[in-house]
Amino acid sequence: MYKYLGLHQLIFLVLFVATLPVKANDSKRTVCDKNLALCIDDLTQRIEKTPVASHLWFHRKLNLLDLLFQAQDYPAVLKETNALLSLPSLPHRVEINSLMYKVKMGKLNGDEDLTPYIKRVDDAFSNLTSSAPQSIIDYATFQIYTGDYTKGRALLLELERKFLSHNNYYIKKQIYTILGHLSHRLNDRDATLNYVSLAYDFAHKDVGIHYQLMTSYNVARALHFQGRFDEAKIRLREVIEQASLIKEISYQSLSYLRLAEIANEMNDVEGLRESLNRIETKRFMAHDIELFHKLQKRL
């Protein structure tokens, strides 16, 4: 029943920079927490009014990449990344983050040799001893795409030890999310469930509705991987309910797709039909669309 499952089976989001600068009136952040699409539209409009290639313009461009990735709008991420990398010169941080996204999108699309980009990122992170915790998390996340899962896990386990007595939930939720994904890639299902559950706990102590939603989904998937179908179904329905409150279509459709998978594995034809009828494939990656059509054929 169990098989090695690919990267797309879990969802993770690690922001390289804060999504929006927090001002005295942080209504912008509230908007981003509750309505990601509106947040992206607002940021796009502000970028258009910002002098091109200024410090603020680059900062907002990186914010936009993070938000688009969070929204799973991967074609837009690739378009923005290619546009940045085509510029004659980039600030170092912008260049490295753009290269990371280039590798991410290349791995997801499976359509190009990424060795030159990976080497440039590795060179930039050749000395991690003085790196900030967020940079270490970013680089450990990058190993999911390079395939060096053991290296990524070692980096985060060391960082975890440093933050055991800290109440920095923003950092901790990221550490455990990525540890969960690395463990998943290493085919360690018990560790996967343990880490994504910790990520869920810390995400719900921190701000950010979308991150909370993502960690809920990841716990559901980890339960599914372990064959704990009833528990997974309960969790997925909770994700659907939470996602509907903030009009987050992607998570609703992905959760219905996973419910359809479970129904298929349980030979529940009616459950399979009901879940498939509720799916909107607009934001699906190619592999999820393929699975959707495969499940449709079972009917």
Side-chain angles (χ1 to χ4, degrees):
M1 179 183 295
Y2 299 119
K3 61 181 179 179
Y4 187 77
L5 295 167
L7 161 66
H8 63 279
Q9 301 287 7
L10 291 175
I11 294 178
F12 62 93
L13 309 165
V14 174
L15 308 185
F16 295 118
V17 289
T19 52
L20 282 174
V22 179
K23 302 178 181 178
N25 177 3
D26 64 352
S27 59
K28 298 290 186 186
R29 184 169 185 175
T30 302
V31 169
C32 289
D33 283 345
K34 293 184 178 180
N35 191 322
L36 193 56
L38 185 60
C39 180
I40 290 171
D41 288 342
D42 176 75
L43 181 56
T44 301
Q45 292 174 25
R46 286 187 291 120
I47 288 173
E48 292 174 354
K49 299 175 183 178
T50 306
V52 175
S54 65
H55 174 78
L56 182 58
W57 187 84
F58 282 123
H59 176 72
R60 287 175 170 171
K61 278 290 188 177
L62 286 184
N63 288 340
L64 181 61
L65 278 175
D66 291 336
L67 290 171
L68 291 170
F69 188 72
Q70 187 174 349
Q72 301 171 61
D73 191 348
Y74 300 133
V77 172
L78 183 58
K79 179 181 178 181
E80 291 288 341
T81 299
N82 286 338
L84 282 171
L85 291 174
S86 70
L87 295 176
S89 63
L90 291 172
H92 181 68
R93 182 171 65 92
V94 177
E95 180 185 10
I96 297 307
N97 287 350
S98 298
L99 288 169
M100 284 182 168
Y101 271 121
K102 182 70 173 178
V103 172
K104 287 183 179 184
M105 294 303 100
K107 285 291 184 180
L108 288 173
N109 292 328
D111 57 3
E112 59 182 295
D113 178 17
L114 302 169
T115 304
Y117 305 113
I118 293 173
K119 185 179 185 307
R120 288 166 68 184
V121 174
D122 285 340
D123 289 345
F125 283 96
S126 58
N127 182 12
L128 281 171
T129 56
S130 59
S131 297
Q134 186 64 60
S135 294
I136 295 173
I137 292 172
D138 295 344
Y139 191 49
T141 303
F142 187 63
Q143 305 314 313
I144 294 175
Y145 297 89
T146 67
D148 198 344
Y149 313 131
T150 302
K151 176 181 178 180
R153 185 161 66 174
L155 288 169
L156 288 180
L157 288 175
E158 177 63 27
L159 191 61
E160 179 199 26
R161 285 189 283 273
K162 293 179 180 179
F163 276 82
L164 280 177
S165 60
H166 285 251
N167 290 329
N168 189 326
Y169 304 132
Y170 179 77
I171 291 294
K172 284 188 170 184
K173 71 184 182 183
Q174 294 182 74
I175 289 173
Y176 290 116
T177 294
I178 305 309
L179 277 172
H181 282 277
L182 291 164
S183 296
H184 173 61
R185 298 295 278 183
L186 290 165
N187 210 24
D188 187 342
R189 293 185 179 84
D190 290 339
T192 298
L193 179 57
N194 177 54
Y195 287 134
V196 298
S197 296
L198 286 168
Y200 171 90
D201 292 340
F202 287 116
H204 283 74
K205 294 178 181 179
D206 191 41
V207 297
I209 293 174
H210 284 84
Y211 206 108
Q212 293 172 7
L213 193 62
M214 177 265 291
T215 58
S216 299
Y217 175 89
N218 284 348
V219 171
R221 292 298 286 144
L223 289 167
H224 180 194
F225 299 153
Q226 288 199 341
R228 295 161 63 174
F229 295 149
D230 289 339
E231 294 171 82
K233 287 162 63 176
I234 291 172
R235 288 277 191 167
L236 287 168
R237 292 189 181 107
E238 289 175 353
V239 172
I240 290 167
E241 182 179 355
Q242 294 163 4
S244 67
L245 293 176
I246 59 172
K247 297 180 173 56
E248 221 301 334
I249 303 300
S250 294
Y251 277 111
Q252 293 181 63
S253 292
L254 278 171
S255 295
Y256 278 121
L257 182 63
R258 304 315 168 198
L259 284 171
E261 275 190 285
I262 293 172
N264 183 56
E265 292 175 45
M266 297 178 70
N267 294 317
D268 178 3
V269 178
E270 287 305 314
L272 175 61
R273 179 179 290 106
E274 179 183 354
S275 295
L276 290 177
N277 286 339
R278 294 178 177 271
I279 291 173
E280 180 179 315
T281 61
K282 182 179 179 181
R283 288 283 178 84
F284 275 6
M285 294 292 288
H287 42 249
D288 287 325
I289 293 175
E290 181 181 354
L291 175 60
F292 174 73
H293 290 312
K294 182 179 179 181
L295 291 172
Q296 279 187 320
K297 291 179 181 178
R298 293 297 305 272
L299 297 176

